[in-house]
Amino acid sequence: MTTVPRIKARMIGAAAALAVVASACGGSPPALPGDAEADYAAVDLAPVTAPEPVERQGNLVAEPVKRQGNLVAEAAVTRVPVFRQPQAGDPFVRLERQGIFGEPRVFLVQEERGDWLRALLPMEPNGSEGWIRARDVTLSDHSYRIRVDLTARRLTVFEDDRVVLRETVAVGMPGSPTPTGLFFTTVLAKPNDPSGPYGRFAYGLSAYSEVYEEFAGGDGQVAIHGTNAPSLIGQAVSHGCIRMANPAITRLARLVPLGTPVRITD
C-alpha cells in the first residue's frame, strides 16, 4: 500500500519524511500483479493547497449538537491539547499546529458543547477522537463528503446531497484491506513526477493500515491517490490505499478541502 507522511506529531524533518513517502509496506512485501509493485517505489511529494472551506460565522452553541461531518477545526496554537472529556484535567495528547510538510493541522468536528468540540483526530488508532477547546482552533464549514464502497469499488463525492463525482477505484487486497469507518482528508500532496505510482495528486487520510505498522520507516497512513497503472482500476490490488485514474484525482483535488469526511464501507 502506498502511504503519505503521518500527520500525527513526531520528531522528523520534512526532508526525511519525503524519503519514506511511498516506501515499501514492511520488510518483505508479497508479489503483486503487474504494475501494483510500483507502490513500493520511493516518491517525492510536495504539499499543495486544497480548496478552502468557508470560515465559520457565529458562536458555538451551549447544548450538545451532533454534526453531519461538515465542520472543520484548524489548529490556531503551536500545540493543540486533546482531552478525553471536556475539562478532564491533563490532555492525553498534544498535536502540533502543522504536519511534517507544514500543512495545517485539521480536525473533523462531530459535536459542539459550549466552548468544547468533540473531534475525530488525525492519528492512530483508527477512529480516535477527543475533545479540543474552541479557543485553540479556527472553525470553517464545508458541504463536501466522500463515500467509498469497497465492494462496488466506487468513490462518490457529494456536495450536500448532490453527486458531483463518481468514479471506479482500486482498493486494498484481501490480505491488506482498505480500512473501513469514518475518516477525513488531512493533507493534499502533488508528486514531483506525475507519471509515478501516486499519479498527479494524493490526499492523505486520517486512516491507517490495520495490517502494516510501518512502511520502510514511514507510518502506514492510507491515501486516495492517482496511479501509473490505470489498467488496475476496479481491482483489489493495493495495500490499502484507494487509487483513482489521474483525470479523476485531478478533479477531486479541485473540489474538496482538508477536513472532508470520507466514509469507507464494505
Side-chain angles (χ1 to χ4, degrees):
M1 175 175 65
T2 50
T3 63
V4 296
R6 186 178 185 177
I7 305 304
K8 184 178 179 181
R10 60 180 298 177
M11 297 299 293
I12 182 170
L18 288 170
V20 301
V21 171
S23 303
C25 300
S28 302
L32 297 176
D35 290 336
E37 291 186 354
D39 281 357
Y40 293 116
V43 176
D44 287 342
L45 298 177
V48 294
T49 301
E52 293 290 336
V54 178
E55 186 174 350
R56 173 69 179 269
Q57 301 295 322
N59 297 323
L60 296 177
V61 297
E63 297 299 326
V65 173
K66 291 189 177 181
R67 308 294 306 182
Q68 296 302 313
N70 63 348
L71 184 62
V72 180
E74 181 178 329
V77 295
T78 302
R79 301 181 74 198
V80 178
V82 185
F83 302 82
R84 299 290 184 191
Q85 295 291 337
Q87 303 172 338
D90 293 333
F92 69 90
V93 68
R94 296 177 186 269
L95 296 179
E96 301 292 336
R97 181 174 185 172
Q98 296 180 327
I100 53 179
F101 279 152
E103 76 276 8
R105 176 87 59 193
V106 296
F107 308 85
L108 181 59
V109 176
Q110 299 295 288
E111 180 183 339
E112 303 170 61
R113 185 180 297 175
D115 294 328
W116 291 86
L117 307 167
R118 179 173 62 86
L120 291 178
L121 306 175
M123 58 181 286
E124 296 180 89
N126 287 338
S128 292
E129 64 175 45
W131 290 86
I132 56 179
R133 295 178 296 215
R135 71 188 188 204
D136 293 332
V137 297
T138 58
L139 295 174
S140 58
D141 290 295
H142 65 82
S143 57
Y144 290 97
R145 58 189 172 93
I146 297 172
R147 184 174 66 203
V148 180
D149 184 328
L150 298 179
T151 300
R153 296 169 190 167
R154 181 179 297 116
L155 180 147
T156 306
V157 182
F158 298 88
E159 184 179 10
D160 293 320
D161 292 325
R162 181 172 65 94
V163 174
V164 294
L165 184 66
R166 178 178 286 128
E167 295 288 334
T168 301
V169 295
V171 300
M173 297 181 292
S176 55
T178 301
T180 58
L182 177 62
F183 310 105
F184 60 96
T185 57
T186 61
V187 61
L188 176 62
K190 185 174 183 179
N192 293 328
D193 179 10
S195 64
Y198 267 142
R200 295 177 185 168
F201 292 96
Y203 270 104
L205 304 182
S206 61
Y208 291 83
S209 170
E210 296 178 350
V211 175
Y212 300 104
E213 294 183 358
E214 182 177 288
F215 295 163
D219 297 309
Q221 186 180 4
V222 172
I224 300 172
H225 62 79
T227 182
N228 62 353
S231 63
L232 297 177
I233 295 293
Q235 301 182 44
V237 293
S238 83
H239 282 77
C241 285
I242 299 159
R243 301 185 200 167
M244 304 181 70
N246 284 329
I249 192 66
T250 301
R251 290 196 295 273
L252 188 69
R254 294 170 179 166
L255 284 176
V256 302
L258 300 187
T260 294
V262 180
R263 173 75 67 179
I264 303 176
T265 61
D266 288 325

